[in-house]
Amino acid sequence: MNHWIARLLAFWSLTWHLRRPPLAHADADERARWCRDHAGTFAGRWLGLGAVLWLLFMTPFVAFVPLGIAGVLALAVGMATLTRQILAQRRAGPPPIEPPADFPRRDHDDADDR
């Protein structure tokens, strides 16, 4: 029973990852870098769930109030996760940008040989 609970928490919770090793023993800058790089995934999951629940609540056939409340709460958790990512980026700085890759160019003569 603990296995599926842990998998569910790992899929939905950013805080679960930050409190588990190796991030539990990392310094604040390393945790902020991880949060900057991965919090968007968790925010997208929460915002998507909130949007689906809210749109389902707004249909005329499924006007179930707890569904609407759950949708608003999921949207709030998604926005809080985005806020956490923005604050982590302020601490860790912007992500490193790799230099552009050179793609091989084909000459016009090669295209004429076909």
Side-chain angles (χ1 to χ4, degrees):
M1 183 167 148
N2 279 341
H3 180 65
W4 69 270
I5 294 173
R7 290 178 62 101
L8 190 66
L9 285 173
F11 186 76
W12 289 102
S13 178
L14 176 71
T15 307
W16 185 84
H17 285 281
L18 291 173
R19 294 185 184 199
R20 307 262 307 163
L23 291 173
H25 306 296
D27 61 341
D29 290 335
E30 187 175 340
R31 290 167 54 99
R33 281 191 297 275
W34 188 91
C35 192
R36 173 198 65 199
D37 295 339
H38 296 91
T41 303
F42 295 101
R45 290 174 186 163
W46 281 107
L47 291 171
L49 176 68
V52 166
L53 290 176
W54 182 255
L55 290 174
L56 188 63
F57 167 69
M58 293 302 291
T59 60
F61 303 111
V62 190
F64 186 55
V65 174
L67 199 62
I69 293 171
V72 169
L73 288 175
L75 287 171
V77 170
M79 286 183 243
T81 307
L82 280 178
T83 303
R84 192 169 186 173
Q85 181 182 20
I86 291 168
L87 293 176
Q89 184 167 348
R90 183 179 297 167
R91 179 179 180 95
I97 299 174
E98 296 178 7
D102 292 329
F103 291 102
R105 295 184 61 186
R106 293 174 37 176
D107 294 337
H108 296 291
D109 296 335
D110 292 339
D112 294 336
D113 292 339
R114 290 187 201 185

